Amino acid sequence: MSVGTGAFSSMEAERNVSVNVEDDEDAYIRYETPSDDKTVERGEQVTLVRVRNQFGGNQDLALVGVEYEYEDRDEDVLQNVDVERYDGPAAPDEELRDEDFTDVNEDHVAIERGSTNDNYPAPNNNDAFGPGEWVRIVADAHIPPGDSPDIEVTITIEGVEGGVSAQLFGDTRVFTLTGAADVSASGTPTVDFKGNSDNAKLEGAESKIPTRVWYRDESTALEHATPNLSNGQIRNQLFSGSNKNGKRIVAVSLTDLNRTYVREDDDLNPGSSVCYDGVPETKAEFSSETLSARD
């Protein structure tokens, strides 16, 4: 079964079974652009495209290719483009929680600005999504304030057991993101923990700044790293591909400011505030004797 969906008319199986792909709500492959017309801060992670397998039976699919483009711009307004798979099936009108998405192995999908030249990996069952299940394409937005680039995302999907091959062209699904006012004008970097997700976001830094990042790994104890970070999603700057899976950012120290941000409700938290004076160098130093709550 194969299709080029520039016209979104139909696709035909090898067994001559026609499959409608014209209307997203009823299509066998549902394609959504949930961030269309959204205003985004520099470094904010956004969902570019969300795809649902709406085949019946046990037809597992794999997203093997992502080609994205924004015309008339040389700079990379989209960075850290990744594919994530949702944990289990969900209805089209069901809210999809960020914490229930996990990264697809970067070796199992070709991601390129422009064209992949049809150089796709073979579909892999470990990152397949079955009937009723979702995958999404996410990226960190680095759009200049007030700019509104038109974005195209073309995806290539193949059946794990063969028989299905579909390409949904982005030029029929153009969407727009707009850059918000530059938060770096404040001159004071801050850290924001992303709700129920495992990530954290650095804002307000005019350039890369020294940090100490504490994180948990599902297979190990508390660990830390000392990267120089720029504005944006912190986990994406520390880890790539499947290495991000299971990592939870629990505290971030801005060493030059002698300030530490601690995730609420994590067992490292020595009090009710999320921001403290002090930069701990060991887990034992997360205490009221080392850190003092800020107003």
Side-chain angles (χ1 to χ4, degrees), residues 149-163:
D150 291 333
I151 298 170
E152 303 176 7
V153 180
T154 294
I155 63 173
T156 300
I157 290 177
E158 295 186 1
V160 173
E161 300 298 332

Side-chain angles (χ1 to χ4, degrees), residues 11-59:
M11 58 184 176
E12 187 171 301
E14 296 171 353
R15 296 183 300 274
N16 296 321
V17 178
S18 293
V19 180
N20 175 40
V21 295
E22 184 171 357
D23 299 319
D24 279 352
E25 293 184 0
D26 300 318
Y28 279 70
I29 300 173
R30 185 185 182 101
Y31 179 115
E32 299 179 347
T33 54
S35 299
D36 188 17
D37 290 331
K38 182 178 181 180
T39 298
V40 294
E41 297 179 358
R42 185 177 291 271
E44 178 180 351
Q45 186 181 71
V46 295
T47 299
L48 304 177
V49 172
R50 203 161 51 200
V51 180
R52 185 173 188 261
N53 180 350
Q54 299 191 155
F55 279 86
N58 57 358
Q59 178 63 68

Side-chain angles (χ1 to χ4, degrees), residues 6-189:
F8 280 87
S9 56
S10 66
M11 58 184 176
E12 187 171 301
E14 296 171 353
R15 296 183 300 274
N16 296 321
V17 178
S18 293
V19 180
N20 175 40
V21 295
E22 184 171 357
D23 299 319
D24 279 352
E25 293 184 0
D26 300 318
Y28 279 70
I29 300 173
R30 185 185 182 101
Y31 179 115
E32 299 179 347
T33 54
S35 299
D36 188 17
D37 290 331
K38 182 178 181 180
T39 298
V40 294
E41 297 179 358
R42 185 177 291 271
E44 178 180 351
Q45 186 181 71
V46 295
T47 299
L48 304 177
V49 172
R50 203 161 51 200
V51 180
R52 185 173 188 261
N53 180 350
Q54 299 191 155
F55 279 86
N58 57 358
Q59 178 63 68
D60 290 342
L61 303 175
L63 178 56
V64 297
V66 176
E67 299 165 314
Y68 62 97
E69 189 55 274
Y70 25 87
E71 295 183 356
D72 301 325
R73 286 171 174 80
D74 293 330
E75 70 275 19
D76 289 329
V77 299
L78 299 177
Q79 299 179 17
N80 299 315
V81 180
D82 287 314
V83 176
E84 300 176 341
R85 180 170 53 86
Y86 198 65
D87 183 19
D93 58 353
E94 186 174 337
E95 181 180 357
L96 304 180
R97 300 181 300 178
D98 287 340
E99 61 268 30
D100 289 334
F101 280 95
T102 57
D103 294 294
V104 167
N105 189 310
E106 59 185 1
D107 294 331
H108 297 165
V109 56
I111 303 175
E112 294 288 346
R113 180 181 177 185
S115 175
T116 64
N117 296 314
D118 295 328
N119 185 20
Y120 310 119
N124 191 290
N125 189 59
N126 291 332
D127 286 320
F129 59 115
E133 296 181 341
W134 296 82
V135 293
R136 69 178 183 180
I137 303 164
V138 298
D140 294 343
H142 288 264
I143 300 172
D147 196 4
S148 298
D150 291 333
I151 298 170
E152 303 176 7
V153 180
T154 294
I155 63 173
T156 300
I157 290 177
E158 295 186 1
V160 173
E161 300 298 332
V164 175
S165 179
Q167 192 169 56
L168 311 184
F169 291 113
D171 58 4
T172 67
R173 300 299 178 91
V174 176
F175 61 97
T176 302
L177 298 174
T178 299
D182 193 350
V183 297
S184 67
S186 66
T188 303

